[in-house]
Amino acid sequence: MIVESLQKELNLKKWQVEMVIKLIDDGNTIPFIARYRKDVTGSLNDEILRKFENRLKYLRNLKEKKSKTIERLDEINKLDDNLKKQILNAKTLVELDDIYRPFKSKKRTRATIAREKGLEKLANTILKQEINESIYKIAEKYINIEKDVKSVQNAIDGAKDIICEIISYNSEFRKKIRQNTFYTGKIETKAKNKEDSSEYEIYYNYSENLKKIPSHRILAINRAEKEGIIKVKIQCEASEITNYLKRHVLKNISKIPEKIEYNPHTTSIIEECVLDSYKRLIAPAIEREIRSYITKNAEKRSIKVFSKNLEQLLLESPFPGKTILGWDPAFKTGCKLAIIDKTGKVLETSLIYPTKPQKKVKESIKTVRSLIEKYDIDVIAIGNGTASRESEKIVVDIIKNMNVEYIIVNEAGASVYSASKLGSEEFPELNEGERSAISIARRLQDPLAELVKIEPKSIGVGQYQHDMNQKKLNESLSSVVEKIVNEVGVDLNTASYSLLNYVSGIRSSTAKNIIKYREQHGGFNSRSELLNVEKLGKKTFKQCAGFVKIKNPKCPLDNTIIHPESYNITIKLLKTLNYSLDDLGSNNLKLNNIDLEKLAIELDVGVETLKDIINELKKPCHDPRENMPKPHLRKNILSIEDLEKDMVLKGTVRNIVDFGAFIDIGAHQDGLIHVSQLVADKFVKHPLDIVSVGDIVDVKVLDIDLARNRIQLSMIL
């Protein structure tokens, strides 16, 4: 059943599903399967494999829950063939919960109390609708002073409570009502106090169809509700739902509710129960379920956008071979400076007070110019936090007539890193401000190496990330970091603990042992040396070996993405083509126009594996980030006051959300390109279809709102 479901959902062949399940169950990681098991999976990529893994977990959980549900119902003698069939056919956990709901042990309800009074039989009698005498006469038999049933009306009221609960627990009813409410209902919001102004004023009197409302609005509404600013309600056409219930609960009823053939003894009572059950029990529960459903979908979409943004940010082109001055701006506490050399080593830190209240501008300029000359600084990386604008003005004055440029760096998460245990361990002798300045400089030099030290959700390329399911957010973002780290690969002799911790198969303790080994032995000379690391066995080696590289190794293949398990094939391939390992990376290697099918048979290797080996031999040690846009450096400042309508500028995409993209145009305040302004002549479903974080784009100024500090832009293609 699970195999068939995965096959259908992900549009895969049966053999693919079976093979991936086997690989996952054998303990292989997703990065390893995606790169080194293409021949047996049909070249399934990382994205599909992660979806596969998540759905496999869900379906196995569903299967286990079905089994436990059947077991529980059997224990309490409530299981019959029909119920068992319903359980086995349930497609989701929600469906399964609906089926099991009537049998759950629950808190005391009005129906529970009525059952305790012995009124369940009366309720069933009314529901059968087969009596030909007054229900009030039948109810007289249930009067019991000791059980607090003092009158006929008491008995009937108790029976009605039981009927209401029976109707509300019907899984088919709930499924139909849930669908009807979602497809025809609206979400409506009202301000608790219309006099109060806030960023949520758009939702003070707002209504939108449930099935059409975009995810960013759902998350904004949830936040406004949580902050006590608005009230939220789901509205739908109740009469359509209650008519549906009447048609299915009442017997001898035509399809037109107005033409009910009344049983004078029970129909009016059941009609009352239908209305009460829907209003008091079903509608509130369905509203909670739908709110939960649309929130989960909004979170899922938002996490997807966040993940894509994070992926692009981590893949931003490194800026190697430059000496960088990191500038962490501030007012009262001063601006912290840190100089790093071309390898990222910290050369010096300093503290200046160019901003208010001290405003020691001259002294600060003198200090920075001295550092520029002393270390031959190429670039100044300014954090975009508090006092960034003021710092930028001073930097522009400092670098006049000097061969130095500057760039504004997104410092989101730098303070988190500087105050973390990792930051303290890395620079125990420095304070938090100095560590933050180092982080700002390093994230320009090698974004991936530095950003992996920070909790992904603190990097600042998402929307409403603090309002959503943190477990799912962290899992998704960690998967992105893992994917990119393994896609790029790490230098085994220089990689930090944070980088190593994301390498396929390597756990926290293993990463620490790798660093301990290289400190004791002066580094690694080959990948195979990993097997000498404490608690790193053959299984872990197999998973991680292809994702770690060694510069200037004994074996040239140790600095490629070719896995050690394929070294013999690679050497055999080179020999077949009259080459050797000495030709690796040289212009001598001619690997075009090769008959892959024929050569794969000759070498007894899969075609996809052979293709990857040849591609790596053509371009060994290739860093996928090399193809990304380079950082956009500046020498002059631009403020929002300098902007004019129709001005054309170049900018960098800093963040992407559902409704548009935020662009750094050097005016301190990012401008927004609304999704409708990304392309002039066609509809854009989502900004990610057009731009990515880190892209360098040409934009035109549409509007400047100085009062609200907002800039509206359009894209120039």
Side-chain angles (χ1 to χ4, degrees):
M1 188 72 177
I2 288 177
V3 171
E4 287 78 4
S5 295
L6 288 168
Q7 188 180 340
K8 186 177 179 181
E9 287 178 34
L10 300 174
N11 194 26
L12 300 175
K13 303 283 195 308
K14 185 179 179 181
W15 64 265
Q16 287 179 299
V17 174
E18 291 172 340
M19 182 53 70
V20 175
I21 290 175
K22 184 177 185 305
L23 287 167
I24 289 172
D25 288 345
D26 286 345
N28 294 288
T29 68
I30 297 302
F32 178 83
I33 298 170
R35 182 182 286 180
Y36 297 115
R37 291 296 178 264
K38 291 178 182 178
D39 287 305
V40 294
T41 68
S43 296
L44 297 182
N45 63 31
D46 185 280
E47 187 177 348
I48 293 174
L49 288 168
R50 290 192 188 279
K51 281 182 185 176
F52 187 106
E53 185 179 40
N54 289 334
R55 286 301 294 162
L56 178 62
K57 286 178 184 175
Y58 181 90
L59 292 171
R60 281 177 167 174
N61 182 30
L62 178 62
K63 182 180 179 182
E64 185 181 357
K65 196 167 181 180
K66 284 180 181 181
S67 179
K68 287 181 178 178
T69 301
I70 290 170
E71 194 177 302
R72 283 194 213 105
L73 291 173
D74 195 33
E75 286 173 0
I76 59 175
N77 297 316
K78 296 289 184 182
L79 187 69
D80 58 33
D81 290 342
N82 182 51
L83 191 55
K84 186 175 182 179
K85 185 179 179 181
Q86 284 184 57
I87 292 167
L88 292 173
N89 288 337
K91 298 286 190 296
T92 66
L93 289 169
V94 173
E95 279 186 50
L96 190 58
D97 285 341
D98 280 348
I99 295 166
Y100 185 64
R101 184 173 280 105
F103 309 101
K104 278 183 179 177
S105 56
K106 43 193 174 286
K107 63 181 182 180
R108 278 167 59 80
T109 62
R110 283 163 49 173
T112 310
I113 295 167
R115 287 188 177 95
E116 291 170 356
K117 292 177 179 180
L119 298 172
E120 187 165 18
K121 188 175 179 182
L122 177 59
N124 289 333
T125 299
I126 295 171
L127 265 178
K128 283 181 182 177
Q129 305 165 62
E130 294 174 354
I131 57 173
N132 294 312
E133 58 181 314
S134 170
I135 191 64
Y136 291 94
K137 187 174 182 180
I138 295 172
E140 287 177 0
K141 301 173 187 176
Y142 293 88
I143 295 174
N144 188 327
I145 304 299
E146 291 180 5
K147 291 187 176 182
D148 199 29
V149 184
K150 298 174 182 177
S151 65
V152 167
Q153 194 59 50
N154 284 162
I156 290 176
D157 286 345
K160 283 158 69 175
D161 286 337
I162 294 170
I163 293 169
C164 284
E165 191 170 89
I166 290 171
I167 293 170
S168 75
Y169 280 164
N170 185 295
S171 60
E172 284 302 313
F173 292 170
R174 291 180 79 97
K175 182 178 179 180
K176 177 71 176 178
I177 294 168
R178 191 184 295 115
Q179 289 174 342
N180 181 284
T181 304
F182 179 73
Y183 286 105
T184 65
K186 292 183 175 183
I187 187 165
E188 294 184 353
T189 64
K190 303 286 183 185
K192 285 190 174 181
N193 187 347
K194 291 183 180 179
E195 304 303 317
D196 294 340
S197 62
S198 76
E199 61 184 301
Y200 304 110
E201 286 183 33
I202 185 178
Y203 302 115
Y204 280 11
N205 187 16
Y206 185 80
S207 175
E208 187 164 3
N209 291 337
L210 278 168
K211 66 177 182 179
K212 291 183 178 179
I213 186 167
S215 59
H216 64 274
R217 283 210 275 273
I218 293 167
L219 296 174
I221 286 170
N222 289 352
R223 180 185 284 183
E225 182 185 38
K226 189 177 179 181
E227 292 178 10
I229 295 170
I230 61 171
K231 293 181 289 186
V232 185
K233 187 73 180 170
I234 287 179
Q235 299 289 2
C236 66
E237 187 52 61
S239 61
E240 187 177 330
I241 293 170
T242 53
N243 286 340
Y244 159 79
L245 288 173
K246 287 177 187 178
R247 286 198 299 271
H248 287 79
V249 177
L250 285 167
K251 294 183 179 179
N252 301 318
I253 180 172
S254 70
K255 290 187 178 181
I256 305 172
E258 292 77 11
K259 295 183 179 180
I260 296 172
E261 296 177 16
Y262 280 92
N263 179 323
H265 308 294
T266 58
T267 299
S268 62
I269 292 174
I270 292 175
E271 278 190 307
E272 288 178 40
C273 290
V274 164
L275 296 174
D276 184 37
S277 179
Y278 174 67
K279 184 178 179 181
R280 180 169 57 86
L281 301 175
I282 299 174
I286 294 296
E287 178 165 355
R288 287 192 299 272
E289 288 172 11
I290 288 177
R291 288 287 305 276
S292 174
Y293 172 77
I294 62 175
T295 294
K296 283 178 181 176
N297 276 358
E299 288 178 349
K300 187 177 178 181
R301 184 175 176 82
S302 188
I303 288 172
K304 185 177 180 181
V305 173
F306 196 150
S307 298
K308 190 64 180 175
N309 287 344
L310 178 62
E311 180 177 329
Q312 295 299 328
L313 185 64
L314 295 175
L315 279 171
E316 279 191 350
S317 179
F319 204 56
K322 304 289 182 182
T323 303
I324 301 169
L325 186 151
W327 183 305
D328 182 21
F331 286 115
K332 189 177 179 180
T333 56
C335 298
K336 280 68 67 178
L337 310 178
I339 297 93
I340 62 169
D341 70 9
K342 297 173 182 180
T343 65
K345 179 183 176 184
V346 180
L347 301 176
E348 187 176 334
T349 61
S350 187
L351 178 64
I352 56 176
Y353 296 91
T355 54
K356 60 184 182 181
Q358 294 90 342
K359 294 200 78 171
K360 296 180 180 179
V361 179
K362 288 184 179 179
E363 296 93 323
S364 299
I365 290 175
K366 184 179 178 182
T367 299
V368 177
R369 282 183 173 166
S370 173
L371 290 170
I372 290 173
E373 291 172 0
K374 180 180 178 181
Y375 294 106
D376 194 19
I377 289 167
D378 299 296
V379 181
I380 298 175
I382 308 169
N384 67 342
T386 305
S388 173
R389 185 186 179 105
E390 292 76 8
S391 295
E392 186 180 7
K393 288 178 180 177
I394 293 161
V395 167
V396 169
D397 287 337
I398 290 171
I399 64 176
K400 273 181 183 175
N401 303 317
M402 300 186 82
N403 190 27
V404 181
E405 295 174 296
Y406 78 91
I407 187 169
I408 303 295
V409 174
N410 185 353
E411 67 173 50
S415 59
V416 175
Y417 159 74
S418 65
S420 68
K421 182 182 176 184
L422 180 61
S424 300
E425 289 174 350
E426 196 168 5
F427 300 107
E429 73 286 357
L430 301 180
N431 61 43
E432 291 181 13
E434 291 168 321
R435 293 179 202 143
S436 185
I438 294 166
S439 180
I440 290 168
R442 283 183 168 179
R443 65 173 61 186
L444 172 62
Q445 189 176 70
D446 190 341
L448 177 59
E450 196 60 27
L451 291 172
V452 293
K453 300 175 184 177
I454 300 163
E455 191 179 20
K457 69 180 180 183
S458 299
I459 291 175
V461 286
Q463 57 179 353
Y464 301 105
Q465 56 261 40
H466 300 292
D467 299 323
M468 59 185 69
N469 185 306
Q470 295 300 295
K471 184 173 182 287
K472 287 184 179 178
L473 176 64
N474 289 333
E475 284 176 354
S476 179
L477 298 185
S478 292
S479 294
V480 171
V481 180
E482 180 188 38
K483 174 191 172 185
I484 301 305
V485 168
N486 288 287
E487 186 177 323
V488 173
V490 305
D491 185 333
L492 192 54
N493 285 320
T494 61
S496 66
Y497 160 79
S498 302
L499 268 175
L500 288 169
N501 203 29
Y502 280 108
V503 172
S504 168
I506 293 180
R507 295 172 181 258
S508 175
S509 57
T510 315
K512 289 176 181 175
N513 289 340
I514 289 172
I515 291 173
K516 183 180 175 183
Y517 180 91
R518 79 185 184 202
E519 286 173 350
Q520 291 174 344
H521 297 82
F524 292 85
N525 293 310
S526 68
R527 280 171 168 167
S528 59
E529 264 189 83
L530 278 168
L531 290 167
N532 298 330
V533 173
E534 185 181 358
K535 296 181 179 177
L536 197 157
K538 291 181 179 179
K539 190 173 182 180
T540 301
F541 178 80
K542 176 183 171 184
Q543 298 300 312
C544 75
F547 302 100
V548 296
K549 301 177 184 178
I550 298 170
K551 288 183 179 177
N552 304 313
K554 290 180 179 178
C555 173
L557 296 178
D558 281 346
N559 196 24
T560 69
I561 66 165
I562 298 170
H563 197 281
E565 67 183 7
S566 297
Y567 281 7
N568 288 337
I569 294 292
T570 305
I571 293 168
K572 194 175 175 182
L573 164 67
L574 289 168
K575 190 176 180 180
T576 301
L577 300 173
N578 297 316
Y579 296 119
S580 71
L581 287 177
D582 293 334
D583 295 305
L584 194 63
S586 72
N587 294 326
N588 298 331
L589 222 50
K590 308 296 181 187
L591 298 171
N592 295 322
N593 303 318
I594 292 174
D595 187 337
L596 288 172
E597 299 282 348
K598 181 181 177 183
L599 193 56
I601 294 170
E602 187 179 333
L603 296 173
D604 191 23
V605 65
V607 172
E608 293 303 322
T609 298
L610 180 60
K611 191 187 297 181
D612 283 350
I613 291 171
I614 290 173
N615 286 336
E616 182 63 12
L617 291 175
K618 285 179 181 177
K619 204 171 183 181
C621 315
H622 173 65
D623 187 333
R625 298 175 296 170
E626 291 173 6
N627 302 325
M628 303 301 285
K630 303 299 179 188
H632 186 50
L633 304 178
R634 298 188 174 94
K635 290 185 76 75
N636 298 306
I637 193 169
L638 177 72
S639 69
I640 191 170
E641 290 82 5
D642 297 326
L643 297 177
E644 294 178 5
K645 194 174 179 181
D646 295 329
M647 185 180 280
V648 174
L649 302 161
K650 195 172 286 291
T652 305
V653 180
R654 288 297 182 204
N655 193 13
I656 296 172
V657 291
D658 288 338
F659 53 85
F662 288 96
I663 314 296
D664 174 11
I665 55 173
H668 188 68
Q669 174 63 41
D670 287 349
L672 171 67
I673 304 179
H674 189 267
V675 63
S676 61
Q677 296 294 333
L678 283 167
V679 180
D681 57 351
K682 70 175 182 178
F683 172 74
V684 177
K685 190 172 182 181
H686 197 279
L688 282 171
D689 297 334
I690 306 297
V691 291
S692 300
V693 168
D695 282 356
I696 308 298
V697 295
D698 292 315
V699 297
K700 183 169 77 171
V701 178
L702 292 181
D703 187 50
I704 308 110
D705 187 340
L706 292 174
R708 295 195 292 174
N709 207 30
R710 292 183 179 177
I711 306 165
Q712 291 183 37
L713 307 169
S714 68
M715 181 90 103
I716 299 174
L717 295 177

